[in-house]
């Protein structure tokens, strides 16, 4: 069982690996950023593979678009159809599109290890684009693990892929554009909403309006947002603001939703509770590559360090496109993907330096406007501290059922960071490998210790980033 | 299923239906959906119980990052229902606690 | 920063340091433990959990007896930890198996184990496939046979670390975290450790800093030729129980996850996992227990063992600076009870048989030993 002495430069990809193929560019994730990057590279004559763990393209934002009926498109709203133009190039043969394919490791020398239909294989690339997008920010409130409590994003996925809407009483709670969008989509589908419980309050508006320039940098988005809110109010949906003390209760599923708003405690019957307070970058690959990350106080999450063209710090040829680098939204994600595609095409000699620089600058100017507006949105819809670092009896690690109180005890016993906490409590050791608890753990430890999240750090993320069976691994 | 379903299939009336089984009970579900979606619109509110505390769980994220939708599908335990498409005659069961392999 | 002089300063809060501090504090010594922090190398976090006796001491028979004694102390030690701290370290005294995949391997194994019984008192039994199958029903046909030792056991290493920390602090150890020791000095019988602008003084110092001992040892006239040795491990999802006994390459934890290990690689401070090793571990795991073919791998990790030139511990008191001790090994779990009781007694000058540690001094390495 000994592995022969490795050389001083132990590479993750040993001579034993069967390389089943080589591409110029491997793109992981077929959302807007990935699709745009792949398309631009293919347009410049590069050999591109785009790998996605879903059965159809679009990522989460354009999920189900290749099967969406006219009625579905009406319900989902006009922005959804922007996905069509992005998806088309994946289906016309010039890009090697690999659906139902999960990448379980990416190495610094740009080898991808994948699993597809129960079989594991590997792919070597000259350039890698990580465009795994975002996921819902964990929302640890009492009762958040009860059946019937789901994310707003989950409800949108059910709508997009199965045309399904929640059965009432349905309550939407939290804050942020995605929550209001879902409400509008539900109304368009004829679904009755028992309540929208918004945690946004005066202090949030005040904070956001300090950045007037940010607000003004994208008037049309601002107008779109206001229109959504008007739609919800016009439909007569009970709308509560400045909500706090959120709590889901029930026996084997959610039955009631309690909250405080307007100085009163409310207790509403609930069959389905949809929570949302923002999305955060999915950073499993960037952490597993041991790339440096910075804590963003603005977005309250970890952002992989990249340069101005999206290249990962210290990992030449590996790029992070779209929401996976920082939350910028679907439209900007496509622009960012395009920018990275242009940069790669330039590096590969398919585009003159002049043309590349011009296009990169143009796209960066547009992206900077988006980033300006994003600052405003992040200020307005900043998730509440109580919903990021919960009370003692609230579960933090869903997989291993570790509570905030247990974690606080471990910090009191001397745990300085998430990895020590993990070894004392098993928090972060379950199948999701810290995706649902990582941010909470970092902020909880930071709060208890009285230091910055950047000082506390994050879980050590190890392969496999997606689960693979031992049998598959043995046969790879 | 005596209790109210969590979800209903509002917009897919034109899709063909196929039959799967959940804990032995036949269910008619829309083709082309995930197992998780199919169960949610069929009145299922408990997908698994946790190995630690035996708590009931159902889907949280529907996109493969939470692992709360684990089911036993065609004899294989701990399969993510939201990442698996329904197939005719599929045998789906509650995932009770930890996986058992033979 | 205090001008107080403690009886015992322990540097390193892993399994070795915490065991020693627990024992020292319980016997009444004023004890201070300085630990580096979350980002340190931390060999103790990457642990398999074996309380393993069979095969130990091949090349140094006194180590077989040492390990055997450590194991026999474990039964009471687990009870003591539970009583003191309320933490159940889940000691499972199941006996342990080694599996062979060829007749040649079986012969070599028997030849290796026999002298350890004769000289070290470690009993064993060679078993053929059908004997094994009756005791470990889920093994696969690729297994030719194995060796069994009734003394082998397993424990939850993370709980053990937690219990030791709790135990030592409850017994009065002062723990300072995030405190990497930069300098050590000895003057007129008093040791001074420097951490940033803070200094700590003690009558005795125990270097239990694992790989960190390399740098610290020479400061007090000690020699710690330890190098990192990487072990890679695979961990599966939780499974229903199928393996109660422990084996040296596979262990099912109390939670149900299966650990498959491990490699022994000389790659410096690189604790990454590699695909060839992961594949080899997966193959061996599936050959041993075919049911694992469909089990999902949740995590692969690498950890750095603290390895001496011959793999055996170093226990030594500094001749130059009496009162400074080095305690290092790569079997921190198996030896924990012994470190807690006898080693702490030796350090405090209460050891009944102080010569017992002599076999483990660094003097056994010739001058030209690779450092």
């Amino acid at each position: 069982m000994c592995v022969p002495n490795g050389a001083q430069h132990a590479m993750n990809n040993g001579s034993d690996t069967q390389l089943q193929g080589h591409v110029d560019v491997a793109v992981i994730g077929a959302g807007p950023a990935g699709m745009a990057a792949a398309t631009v590279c293919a347009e410049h004559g590069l050999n591109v593979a785009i790998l996605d763990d879903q059965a159809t393209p679009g990522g989460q934002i354009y999920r189900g678009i290749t099967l969406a009926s006219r009625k579905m498109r009406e319900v989902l709203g006009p922005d959804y159809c922007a996905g069509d133009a992005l998806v088309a190039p994946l289906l016309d043969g010039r890009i090697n599109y690999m659906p139902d394919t999960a990448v379980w490791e990416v190495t610094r020398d740009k080898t991808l290890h994948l699993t597809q239909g129960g079989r594991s294989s590997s792919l070597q690339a000259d350039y890698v684009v990580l465009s795994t997008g975002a996921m819902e920010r964990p929302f640890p409130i009492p009762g958040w693990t009860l059946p019937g409590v789901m994310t707003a994003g989950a409800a949108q996925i059910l709508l997009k892929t199965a045309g399904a809407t929640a059965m009432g009483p349905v309550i939407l709670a939290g804050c942020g554009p995605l929550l209001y969008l879902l409400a509008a989509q539900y109304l368009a589908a004829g679904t009755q909403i028992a309540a929208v419980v918004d945690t946004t309050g005066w202090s949030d508006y005040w904070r956001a309006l300090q950045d007037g320039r940010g607000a003004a940098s994208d008037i049309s988005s601002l107008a779109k947002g206001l229109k959504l809110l008007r739609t919800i109010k016009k439909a007569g949906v009970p709308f509560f603001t400045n909500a706090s003390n959120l709590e889901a209760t029930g026996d084997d599923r959610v039955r009631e939703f309690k909250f405080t708003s307007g100085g009163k405690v409310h207790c509403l019957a609930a069959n389905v509770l949809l929570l949302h307070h923002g999305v955060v970058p999915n950073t499993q690959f960037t952490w597993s590559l041991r790339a440096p990350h910075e804590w963003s106080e603005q977005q309250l999450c970890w952002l992989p360090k990249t340069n101005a063209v999206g290249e990962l710090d210290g990992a030449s040829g590996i790029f992070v496109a779209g929401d996976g680098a920082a939350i910028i939204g679907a439209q900007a994600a496509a622009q960012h993907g395009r920018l990275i595609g242009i940069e790669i095409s330039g590096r590969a000699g398919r585009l003159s330096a002049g043309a590349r620089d011009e296009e990169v600058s143009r796209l960066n100017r547009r992206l900077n406007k988006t980033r300006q507006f994003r600052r405003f949105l992040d200020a307005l819809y900043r998730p509440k501290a109580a919903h990021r670092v919960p009370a003692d009896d609230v579960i933090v690690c869903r997989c291993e059922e570790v509570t905030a109180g247990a974690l606080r005890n471990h910090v009191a016993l001397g745990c300085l960071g998430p990895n020590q906490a993990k070894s004392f409590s098993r928090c972060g050791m379950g199948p999701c490998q810290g995706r649902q608890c990582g941010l909470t753990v970092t902020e909880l430890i930071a709060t208890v210790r009285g230091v910055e999240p950047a000082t506390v750090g994050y879980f050590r993320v190890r392969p496999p980033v997606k689960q693979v069976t031992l049998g598959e691994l043995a046969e790879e | 299923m005596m209790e109210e379903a969590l979800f209903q299939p509002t917009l897919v009336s034109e899709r063909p239906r196929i039959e799967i089984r959940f804990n032995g009970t036949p269910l008619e579900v829309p083709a082309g959906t995930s197992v998780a979606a199919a169960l949610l619109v069929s009145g299922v509110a408990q997908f698994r119980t946790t190995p630690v505390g035996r708590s009931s769980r159902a889907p949280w994220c529907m996109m493969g990052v939470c692992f709360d939708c684990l089911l036993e599908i065609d004899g294989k335990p701990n399969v993510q229902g939201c990442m698996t498409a329904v197939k005719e005659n599929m045998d789906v069961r509650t995932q009770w606690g930890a996986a058992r392999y033979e | 920063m205090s001008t107080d002089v403690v009886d015992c300063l322990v540097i390193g809060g892993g399994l070795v340091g915490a065991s020693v501090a627990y024992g020292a504090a319980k016997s009444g010594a004023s004890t201070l433990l300085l630990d580096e922090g979350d980002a340190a190398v931390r060999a103790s976090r990457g642990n398999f959990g074996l309380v393993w006796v069979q095969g130990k001491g091949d090349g140094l028979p006194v180590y077989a007896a040492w390990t055997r004694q450590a194991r026999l102390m474990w039964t009471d030690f687990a009870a003591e930890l539970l009583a003191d701290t309320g933490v159940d370290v889940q000691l499972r005294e199941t006996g342990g198996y080694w599996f062979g995949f060829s007749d040649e391997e079986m012969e070599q194994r028997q030849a290796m184990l026999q002298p350890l019984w004769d000289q070290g008192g470690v009993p064993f039994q060679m078993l053929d496939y059908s004997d094994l199958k009756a005791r470990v029903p889920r093994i696969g046909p690729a297994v030719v046979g194995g060796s069994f030792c009734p003394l082998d056991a397993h424990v939850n290493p993370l709980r053990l670390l937690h219990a030791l920390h709790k135990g030592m602090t409850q017994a009065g150890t002062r723990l300072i975290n995030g405190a990497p020791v930069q300098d050590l000095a000895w003057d007129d019988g008093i040791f001074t450790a420097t951490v940033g602008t803070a200094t700590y003084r003690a009558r005795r110092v125990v270097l239990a800093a694992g790989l960190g001992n390399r740098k610290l040892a020479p400061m007090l006239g000690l020699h710690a030729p330890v190098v990192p040795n990487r072990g890679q491990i695979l961990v599966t999802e939780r499974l229903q129980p199928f393996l109660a006994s422990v084996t040296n390459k596979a262990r099912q934890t109390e939670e149900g996850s299966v650990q498959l290990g491990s490699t022994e690689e000389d790659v410096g401070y690189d604790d990454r996992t590699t695909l060839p090793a992961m594949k080899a571990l997966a193959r061996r795991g599936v050959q041993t227990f075919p049911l694992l073919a469909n089990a999902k791998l949740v995590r692969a990790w690498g950890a750095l063992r603290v390895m001496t030139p011959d793999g055996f511990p170093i226990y030594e008191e500094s001749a130059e600076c009496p009162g400074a001790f080095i305690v290092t090994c790569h079997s921190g779990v198996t030896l924990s009870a012994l470190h807690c009781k006898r080693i702490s007694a030796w350090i405090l000058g209460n050891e009944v048989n102080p010569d017992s540690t002599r076999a483990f001094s660094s003097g056994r390495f010739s001058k030209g030993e690779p450092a």
Side-chain angles (χ1 to χ4, degrees):
Chain A
M1 257 313 280
C2 287
V3 173
N5 276 355
Q8 296 315 106
H9 53 84
M11 301 282 269
N12 278 1
N13 172 25
S15 56
D16 210 28
T17 308
Q18 297 152 27
L19 294 182
Q20 268 103 28
H22 170 274
V23 289
D24 296 328
V25 187
V27 178
I28 304 178
M35 293 191 288
T39 301
V40 167
C41 289
E43 276 167 0
H44 287 90
L46 290 167
N47 181 10
V48 183
I50 182 165
L51 304 92
D52 192 75
D53 61 9
Q54 297 294 336
T56 56
Q60 302 308 327
I61 192 73
Y62 303 122
R63 187 128 176 206
I65 197 166
T66 52
L67 301 167
S69 64
R70 200 176 46 85
K71 174 67 179 162
M72 180 75 76
R73 287 157 181 270
E74 272 168 31
V75 165
L76 293 173
D79 286 347
Y80 181 69
C81 300
D84 291 320
L86 289 167
V87 166
L90 262 64
L91 307 174
D92 70 10
R94 53 184 144 151
I95 295 171
N96 191 358
Y97 165 52
M98 298 164 69
D100 287 316
T101 302
V103 178
W104 59 263
E105 186 175 8
V106 178
T107 66
R108 275 179 178 233
D109 69 340
K110 299 177 270 292
T111 306
L112 280 66
H113 296 292
L114 0 148
T115 171
Q116 208 180 10
R119 301 213 45 196
S120 206
S121 63
S122 49
L123 186 65
Q124 183 67 46
D126 296 339
Y127 301 94
V128 174
V129 180
L130 299 171
S131 40
T132 51
M135 55 177 205
E136 293 264 354
R137 175 186 294 283
F139 205 142
I141 60 167
W144 72 303
T145 56
L146 287 168
V149 182
M150 302 170 71
T151 62
Q156 284 189 318
I157 289 168
L158 279 156
L159 189 54
K160 289 167 184 168
T161 62
T165 57
M167 289 199 70
V170 185
I171 301 179
L172 276 59
C175 60
L178 204 154
L179 192 70
Y180 314 132
L181 177 62
L182 175 67
Q185 290 167 335
Y186 263 22
L187 292 170
T191 303
Q192 193 169 43
I193 301 173
V196 172
V197 178
D198 195 340
T199 56
T200 315
W202 286 117
S203 59
D204 300 298
Y205 286 107
W206 179 242
R207 184 197 310 121
L209 287 171
Q210 303 298 300
D211 183 16
R213 240 183 85 202
S217 61
D218 191 348
I219 296 290
S220 74
S221 287
L222 201 56
K224 249 194 258 176
L226 291 170
K227 186 161 169 247
L228 279 179
L229 289 167
R230 262 203 318 275
T231 308
I232 299 166
K233 306 250 170 92
K234 258 181 78 178
V237 175
F239 201 106
F240 300 86
T241 57
N242 203 24
S244 60
N245 297 324
L246 310 187
E247 184 180 338
T249 59
D251 40 21
D252 55 348
R253 58 195 274 177
V254 65
R255 306 284 180 189
E256 282 183 339
F257 183 55
K258 286 201 197 95
F259 59 95
T260 303
S261 169
K264 272 174 58 184
V265 174
H266 302 265
C267 189
L268 304 179
N271 185 46
V272 175
L273 172 64
L274 301 170
L275 299 175
H276 174 82
H277 60 165
V279 294
V280 293
N282 183 345
T283 48
Q284 291 297 100
F285 282 115
T286 49
W287 281 114
S288 82
L289 281 162
R290 305 218 191 171
H293 290 66
E294 269 174 340
W295 177 260
S296 164
E297 243 331 273
Q298 177 187 327
Q299 299 206 323
L300 294 169
C301 60
W302 295 96
L303 304 179
K305 287 179 82 167
T306 57
N307 61 19
V309 290
E311 192 171 26
L312 201 55
D313 211 34
S316 150
I318 300 180
F319 296 80
V320 189
D323 273 358
I327 302 303
I328 48 177
Q331 249 187 323
Q335 288 161 1
H336 197 224
R338 185 177 170 77
L339 184 157
I340 284 168
I342 294 286
E343 172 64 22
I344 290 174
S345 302
R347 295 238 190 137
R350 306 304 175 109
L351 185 65
S352 74
R356 172 194 55 188
D357 290 345
E358 199 188 305
E359 182 65 357
V360 165
S361 299
R362 184 184 76 85
L363 288 163
N364 257 329
R365 277 196 303 273
R366 287 177 72 180
L367 285 165
N368 284 335
K369 283 224 134 234
T370 304
R371 292 178 180 121
Q372 259 193 316
F373 187 65
R374 179 56 50 169
R375 268 205 323 269
F376 164 73
L377 286 179
D378 289 340
L380 179 56
Y381 298 123
R382 191 174 177 77
K384 300 284 177 281
H387 305 145
R388 298 180 350 246
V389 180
D392 280 351
D393 59 349
V394 178
I395 286 179
V396 169
C397 171
R398 295 175 65 103
C399 296
E400 298 288 321
E401 300 181 88
V402 182
T403 62
L407 287 168
R408 284 189 178 96
N409 281 345
H410 294 306
V411 180
L413 258 189
C415 277
L416 296 177
N419 296 295
Q420 282 180 308
K422 186 198 293 186
S423 70
F424 276 23
S425 68
R426 291 196 56 84
C427 178
M429 285 188 170
C432 95
Q433 289 289 294
R435 286 168 174 87
Q436 298 303 321
C437 65
L439 291 178
T440 311
V441 173
T442 291
E443 285 210 88
L444 184 149
I445 295 176
T447 305
V448 174
R449 285 182 56 195
V451 299
E452 293 302 307
T455 307
V456 168
Y458 190 70
F459 288 132
R460 179 79 182 275
V461 177
R462 296 274 206 172
V465 170
K466 289 272 181 163
Q467 292 187 343
V468 61
T469 67
L470 290 175
E472 250 184 271
L473 185 56
E475 299 301 318
E476 212 246 40
Chain B
M1 290 159 267
M2 302 285 284
E3 304 218 50
E4 190 173 35
L6 293 174
F7 281 79
Q8 58 187 333
T10 305
L11 295 178
V12 286
S13 46
E14 68 276 7
R15 283 209 204 169
R17 318 287 275 172
I18 63 170
E19 189 181 279
I20 66 172
R21 283 186 313 285
F22 180 63
N23 290 338
T25 302
L27 294 178
E28 220 188 54
V29 300
T33 58
S34 65
V35 177
L39 293 185
L40 287 171
V41 302
S42 303
V44 177
Q46 178 190 59
F47 279 45
R48 73 181 184 108
T49 53
T50 57
V52 180
R54 298 275 182 270
S55 318
S56 268
R57 295 289 176 91
W60 159 257
C61 78
M62 290 299 292
M63 59 176 279
V65 296
C66 79
F67 294 82
D68 260 324
C69 63
L70 297 177
L71 297 157
E72 188 190 294
I73 297 182
D74 287 339
K76 288 212 169 120
N78 273 358
V79 179
Q80 287 175 293
C82 73
M83 300 293 283
T84 310
V86 286
K87 283 204 186 72
E88 184 74 44
N89 281 331
M90 196 175 237
D91 180 54
V92 182
R93 295 180 185 272
T94 308
Q95 178 63 50
W96 299 108
R100 178 192 301 280
Y101 292 101
E102 302 304 322
Chain C
M1 193 152 71
S2 159
T3 48
D4 290 349
V5 181
V6 296
D7 293 326
C8 184
L9 166 62
V10 179
I11 302 177
L15 288 168
V16 173
S19 299
V20 171
Y22 179 42
K26 278 190 85 164
S27 63
S30 56
T31 312
L32 168 66
L33 191 148
L34 299 176
D35 189 50
E36 212 181 318
D38 197 64
V41 176
R42 311 222 71 100
S44 290
R45 272 215 301 265
N47 202 294
F48 212 58
L50 303 183
V51 178
W52 195 258
V53 189
Q54 69 168 288
K56 296 282 181 76
D58 181 25
L60 191 69
V62 56
Y63 186 58
W66 185 257
T67 304
R68 178 176 172 279
Q69 189 194 53
R71 158 59 184 107
L72 293 173
M73 294 170 75
W74 245 108
T75 311
D76 290 341
F77 187 54
E80 191 180 336
L81 282 168
L82 178 63
D84 282 353
T85 69
V87 177
D88 174 10
V89 299
Q90 297 171 336
L91 175 68
R92 298 292 174 249
E93 299 173 291
T94 57
Y97 295 88
W98 166 95
F99 298 120
F101 293 82
S102 72
D103 292 332
E104 198 191 325
E105 274 186 22
M106 291 286 287
E107 279 162 24
Q108 282 172 356
R109 184 74 179 175
Q110 179 160 19
M112 191 263 288
L113 292 178
Q114 193 60 52
L116 299 174
W117 191 347
D118 297 337
Q119 294 166 48
V122 178
F124 73 96
Q125 220 186 326
M126 297 305 289
L127 300 168
D128 65 20
Y129 177 77
S130 54
D131 291 333
L132 273 182
K133 191 79 175 159
R135 299 167 178 227
V136 190
R138 306 316 306 258
I139 54 165
V143 178
V144 160
S147 63
F148 172 76
C149 174
L151 294 179
D152 294 328
H154 55 142
V155 75
N156 184 322
L158 299 177
R159 281 210 184 187
L160 173 60
L161 188 58
H162 182 190
L164 289 170
H165 270 247
K166 219 173 160 194
M168 75 182 192
T169 36
Q170 270 170 206
T173 304
R174 186 174 160 220
L175 165 65
I176 302 182
N177 257 315
V181 171
Q182 281 121 12
D183 194 48
L184 287 165
W186 177 74
D187 185 35
D188 198 24
I190 300 292
F191 294 92
T192 306
T194 306
V195 178
T197 53
T199 57
Y200 304 94
R201 300 181 341 131
R203 279 176 268 278
R204 285 173 205 80
V205 169
V206 183
L207 302 185
L211 292 167
N213 276 354
R214 265 185 82 99
K215 220 182 65 161
L216 297 174
M219 296 177 187
L220 297 177
L222 285 163
H223 182 47
V226 288
V227 294
N229 178 284
R230 180 168 75 192
Q232 296 187 45
I233 304 271
L234 302 182
V235 185
T236 69
E237 57 186 337
R238 287 169 181 254
L239 306 182
Q240 298 280 356
F242 73 92
L243 178 65
S245 311
V246 62
T247 81
N248 69 324
K249 295 289 188 189
R251 171 181 170 243
Q252 184 170 30
T253 66
E254 208 77 7
E255 294 84 30
S257 53
V258 175
Q259 293 177 301
L260 298 174
S262 63
T263 58
E264 287 171 37
E265 304 166 85
D266 185 7
V267 292
Y269 283 79
D270 182 357
D271 69 351
R272 288 177 301 176
T273 46
T274 64
L275 186 68
M278 287 166 68
K279 276 166 70 171
L281 291 171
R283 261 186 218 127
R284 173 132 181 168
V286 172
Q287 277 184 319
T288 312
F289 296 107
L291 68 89
L292 291 178
N294 285 318
K296 292 185 241 340
L297 176 66
V298 165
R299 188 175 178 88
W301 49 262
L304 302 175
R305 297 180 184 87
V306 183
M307 195 56 70
T308 59
D310 57 5
F312 301 116
I314 301 175
Y315 304 120
E316 190 165 8
E317 179 173 12
S318 173
E320 216 179 286
C321 314
F325 297 84
I326 184 156
V327 179
T328 185
C329 68
H330 70 85
S331 300
V333 173
T334 303
L335 300 175
S336 179
L338 198 152
H339 287 164
C340 173
K341 303 294 176 186
R342 287 193 61 189
I343 292 293
S344 69
W346 169 62
I347 286 161
L348 295 173
N350 302 330
E351 167 57 46
V352 169
N353 182 9
D355 279 354
S356 53
T357 55
R358 195 148 297 196
F360 300 107
S361 85
S362 67
R364 71 185 189 266
F365 307 121
S366 64
K367 285 292 170 193
E369 203 73 45

